[in-house]
Amino acid sequence: MARQQSRYICQTCGAAHLRWEGQCRTCGGWNTLVETVIRESDARRKVGPGQGSTDRVDLPQSLAGLREAELVRIPTGIGEIDRVLGGGLVPGSVVLLGGEPGIGKSTLLLQAAAGLAVGRASGRADGGAAIPAGRDGVLYATGEESAGQVRLRAGRLGLLEGLPADRISVVAASEVGRIVDLAREARPIALIVDSIQTVTVDELEGPAGSVGQVRECALRLMEMAKGDDIAVIIVGHVTKDGTLAGPKTLEHLVDAVLNLEGERTSTLRLLRATKNRFGSTEEVGVFEMAERGLAEVADPGRAFLAATDEHAPGSVAGATLEGSRPLLVEVQALVAPGGYGTPRRTASGLDANRMALLVAVLGRRAGIGLGSHDVYANLAGGLELDDPGLDLPLCLALASSLRDRPVPRDMVAIGEVGLLGELRPVPGLERRLREAARLGFRSAIVPVSRRGDLPVISGMEVIAVPNLRTAISHAVGAAQAGPSDRNGDHNGDHNGTAPARSSAAAFEARTAGGRDPSRDPE
Ligand code: TYD
Ligand code: MG
């Protein structure tokens, strides 16, 4: 076969150049040239879903006349991964697993490899049938570590004894052509390539990890996946600030993009699908990094609640929904008098712009003036969320920190906050509340629903409030009649709107006793 040539193609205008240059001479775009293999053959065009059948895939057919693609799935045996994939790995699909270096991608995939390989071997009814005939084992191609290092890790994960050890083949290879040849020969159920930043195509001169290399390698792996019906999982290192962005360019090519997230200092890891052609992108998997690899978390609902007994002002529990799974989280805030200059606004795990907006709403609509204070907010457990339902817990945490009065420990808050200081309903309220009740929360502050009904949760008092000011007076008590508290409130929201409660007895109790912080143990 004649050696293929490479050209530098401008990603903006498509002009081809012989050499890399910083600026495209045709369109003037900066940094747009990407090294690309020029093919004489149209080999790539032959590849398409449905290949291998007798259907002519290149002729249009009526929608009614098309055969439905049979979607089989091979379970990895790890429930949380299967959940995120939508039931298991689809043969012939390409999955990109992204995450920061050191977060646990190789660990997770080695464990998944064992599950895939053993499922086949044990003739498991659910897995066995799904695997294309003649497939066996898993091929693990590593360009990051030596085969010996992989063995070391497998030992740590307890995979050296028994079936998995026989059925996972490891090869330290970095040339994608060789990896593809090996896979075609071995015919595994799945090929794992760890990582895309270390594999190269001979025809390209650019270094491993460059956009051209990453894309060409991925294209060849995809060709093989679709043509030979082998599932391919590609690892890609991605950093939060996007400095290793190569894999980002693959996201539209592959069938599914999974991300493994988590804080390096925390042991919790979240597996999320940001794209999935064969399932929902809503589900998350929750893992904990342990001595023997990533373990599924038994009770994900409570995993992100801080485990300490410390109960200080500034901490409020929120309930969020990740796909169909409710998670309870602890929102922490610290408010401190600012020094000179612009006050600081720092948020980790929460959107800092959203927080700045809520600080403004608190000041104007709820009498919580933070204009000259430094404000810090944090989600416990290294979680990163953009659920509007966390607006209310964040606002309550800020108010609680400013007033230095704790919010009752067994209280959870859910709701989006509008610019007028009004509370807006969030989806899945009942599901969130049920999970909170299951985990021992006894009261909840929620927005008044549009229809005026309230979920009735046994063992939990649900307090529906129309606006932020009322929510704050319930959670941290009314303000000590400071005149400044009334300032800036143009909402007229303290006109005696009584909160709705789903528990009448509790209502009597509350109105009799008032909301007295002494009710709280601290
Ligand atoms: P790794 O899978 O190598 O990360 P990635 O492939 O995403 O770069 O995970 C590395 C980290 O995981 C490392 O810091 C050690 C830790 N670890 C455990 O805590 N327990 C284990 O059983 C294993 C294998 C790794
Ligand atoms: Mg790795």
Side-chain angles (χ1 to χ4, degrees):
M1 192 175 84
R3 190 181 154 85
Q4 289 169 323
Q5 288 182 312
S6 76
R7 290 280 188 283
Y8 292 85
I9 309 288
C10 173
Q11 302 298 295
T12 308
C13 69
H17 303 257
L18 276 175
R19 241 163 270 101
W20 188 83
E21 285 167 61
Q23 185 182 23
C24 172
R25 292 192 201 187
T26 313
C27 71
W30 286 99
N31 232 342
T32 57
L33 301 196
V34 169
E35 195 185 18
T36 308
V37 177
I38 307 295
R39 294 153 190 261
E40 313 90 60
S41 73
D42 56 351
R44 204 186 297 166
R45 242 192 294 151
K46 287 206 296 258
V47 178
Q51 213 215 359
S53 68
T54 50
D55 287 355
R56 288 289 306 275
V57 292
D58 51 349
L59 290 181
Q61 287 181 358
S62 77
L63 210 44
L66 286 174
R67 278 196 296 126
E68 196 168 313
E70 224 184 304
L71 209 55
V72 289
R73 295 172 190 278
I74 315 167
T76 62
I78 300 175
E80 296 288 289
I81 302 182
D82 291 340
R83 174 191 181 95
V84 175
L85 283 172
L89 203 56
V90 176
S93 68
V94 181
V95 177
L96 175 68
L97 175 66
E100 302 210 4
I103 202 79
K105 299 180 294 297
S106 306
T107 307
L108 187 67
L109 287 182
L110 203 53
Q111 290 177 278
L116 284 167
V118 172
R120 169 63 167 173
S122 62
R124 203 170 47 194
D126 52 346
I131 298 170
R135 297 300 145 75
D136 216 353
V138 173
L139 180 61
Y140 189 103
T142 168
E144 302 238 320
E145 298 156 304
S146 68
Q149 281 171 312
V150 176
R151 192 193 143 88
L152 209 62
R153 187 198 305 270
R156 190 166 168 190
L157 300 175
L159 302 176
L160 285 187
E161 311 88 40
L163 280 174
D166 292 335
R167 288 173 185 273
I168 302 176
S169 322
V170 179
V171 57
S174 59
E175 210 280 306
V176 77
R178 175 158 164 71
I179 295 174
V180 166
D181 288 346
L182 285 171
R184 290 212 162 109
E185 202 175 302
R187 308 190 67 70
I189 302 165
L191 164 69
I192 295 172
V193 180
D194 188 2
S195 68
I196 194 71
Q197 273 107 343
T198 58
V199 292
T200 51
V201 171
D202 270 351
E203 287 87 355
L204 296 181
E205 286 155 22
S210 62
V211 176
Q213 287 281 14
V214 163
R215 226 178 38 179
E216 186 62 28
C217 290
L219 281 173
R220 296 201 181 183
L221 291 168
M222 268 178 59
E223 234 170 84
M224 187 214 61
K226 306 287 176 213
D228 295 55
D229 232 10
I230 297 173
V232 176
I233 306 178
I234 300 174
V235 174
H237 294 292
V238 186
T239 51
K240 271 202 191 108
D241 56 3
T243 45
L244 297 176
K248 282 262 168 222
T249 64
L250 302 182
E251 292 190 348
H252 67 283
L253 295 176
V254 299
D255 296 308
V257 180
L258 308 187
N259 274 310
L260 191 60
E261 302 167 4
E263 204 66 29
R264 212 72 92 67
T265 47
S266 147
T267 55
L268 285 168
R269 300 285 181 270
L270 225 61
L271 185 68
R272 240 192 255 265
T274 53
K275 165 179 176 177
N276 192 352
R277 285 194 182 135
F278 309 116
S280 142
T281 53
E282 300 268 87
E283 298 304 326
V284 293
V286 185
F287 295 93
E288 187 159 21
M289 184 61 96
E291 266 309 294
R292 296 188 60 173
L294 286 159
E296 299 175 65
V297 171
D299 194 355
R302 89 166 79 227
F304 293 95
L305 280 178
T308 63
D309 286 334
E310 194 65 39
H311 187 56
S315 153
V316 178
T320 181
L321 209 53
E322 284 288 333
S324 59
R325 173 178 275 169
L327 293 179
L328 271 285
V329 294
E330 183 186 327
V331 182
Q332 302 176 331
L334 181 66
V335 170
Y340 297 106
T342 319
R344 301 193 57 148
R345 305 269 182 264
T346 311
S348 90
L350 293 157
D351 181 10
N353 288 330
R354 186 81 198 159
M355 182 178 79
L357 184 142
L358 292 174
V359 164
V361 174
L362 279 167
R364 296 283 290 167
R365 305 290 182 215
I368 303 290
L370 296 169
S372 59
H373 286 74
D374 289 342
V375 174
Y376 307 89
N378 177 39
L379 268 189
L383 204 57
E384 222 167 286
L385 294 174
D386 56 1
D387 177 9
L390 293 179
D391 286 357
L392 183 59
L394 175 56
C395 287
L396 294 182
L398 291 166
S400 155
S401 179
L402 180 73
R403 298 229 176 117
D404 207 25
R405 288 159 77 168
V407 170
R409 295 194 67 165
D410 58 0
M411 175 180 274
V412 61
I414 304 164
E416 180 179 349
V417 173
L419 289 185
L420 307 178
E422 83 279 21
L423 293 189
R424 300 207 191 131
V426 295
L429 180 64
E430 189 164 340
R431 196 133 27 107
R432 303 183 200 222
L433 289 175
R434 286 199 191 291
E435 180 72 358
R438 187 182 72 79
L439 295 178
F441 287 89
R442 290 290 155 253
S443 66
I445 299 198
V446 303
V448 174
S449 93
R450 289 196 186 95
R451 280 172 293 153
D453 53 349
L454 262 187
V456 178
I457 312 286
S458 77
M460 180 182 253
E461 183 197 11
V462 181
I463 308 165
V465 294
N467 54 46
L468 201 48
R469 183 183 288 272
T470 323
I472 291 170
S473 71
H474 272 280
V476 286
Q480 283 91 356
S484 67
D485 261 15
R486 292 284 185 222
N487 287 347
D489 176 20
H490 306 286
N491 198 21
D493 60 24
H494 45 85
N495 49 7
T497 339
R501 292 162 193 264
S502 69
S503 146
F507 181 65
E508 310 295 0
R510 286 290 162 107
T511 36
R515 168 130 320 255
D516 180 358
S518 67
R519 277 160 44 92
D520 195 68
E522 311 261 336

